[in-house]
Amino acid sequence: MMEIVCVDVSLLAPPEPMTCIIKALSKLQPAQCLKVIHRREPFPLYEKLQALDWQVQTFKQASDVFHIYIYRRDLQSEFSAYLAEQAL
């Protein structure tokens, strides 16, 4: 079962959100997913994550609230199961 680790970077000024997210990713255990709460979509981060083979799913909650899930590519099925549970 996937464990969600949450960080809220919505009140941080650039470049602090990117630094905080990268630091949190470096501490993730194999079966963990990072949930980031952000005030915008961090497009430069997406490029870095793709190059490092991370998967990203972004959900816009409001005009200035984004929930960004970052997980290892091999956890795709676990993440899909997590999303299905959340929909119940």
Side-chain angles (χ1 to χ4, degrees):
M1 183 169 171
M2 178 177 282
E3 178 185 351
I4 305 298
V5 176
C6 189
V7 295
D8 186 344
V9 299
S10 59
L11 299 178
L12 300 178
E16 291 178 73
M18 174 98 66
T19 303
C20 181
I21 293 166
I22 297 297
K23 186 175 180 180
L25 285 173
S26 73
K27 295 179 180 181
L28 279 188
Q29 297 300 310
Q32 292 180 323
C33 171
L34 184 64
K35 176 183 179 181
V36 178
I37 301 169
H38 208 314
R39 68 180 171 274
R40 64 180 188 85
E41 281 199 84
F43 291 107
L45 175 66
Y46 292 162
E47 293 172 14
K48 287 183 185 231
L49 294 174
Q50 185 176 17
L52 296 171
D53 211 30
W54 289 94
Q55 289 287 106
V56 179
Q57 291 277 337
T58 302
F59 300 94
K60 186 175 183 177
Q61 304 297 309
S63 63
D64 61 349
V65 179
F66 293 86
H67 291 181
I68 304 160
Y69 293 87
I70 307 168
Y71 54 93
R72 290 175 176 82
R73 192 170 300 278
D74 62 344
L75 294 176
Q76 179 64 53
S77 61
E78 288 89 342
F79 183 73
S80 295
Y82 168 78
L83 284 183
E85 289 174 12
Q86 300 306 303
L88 298 177

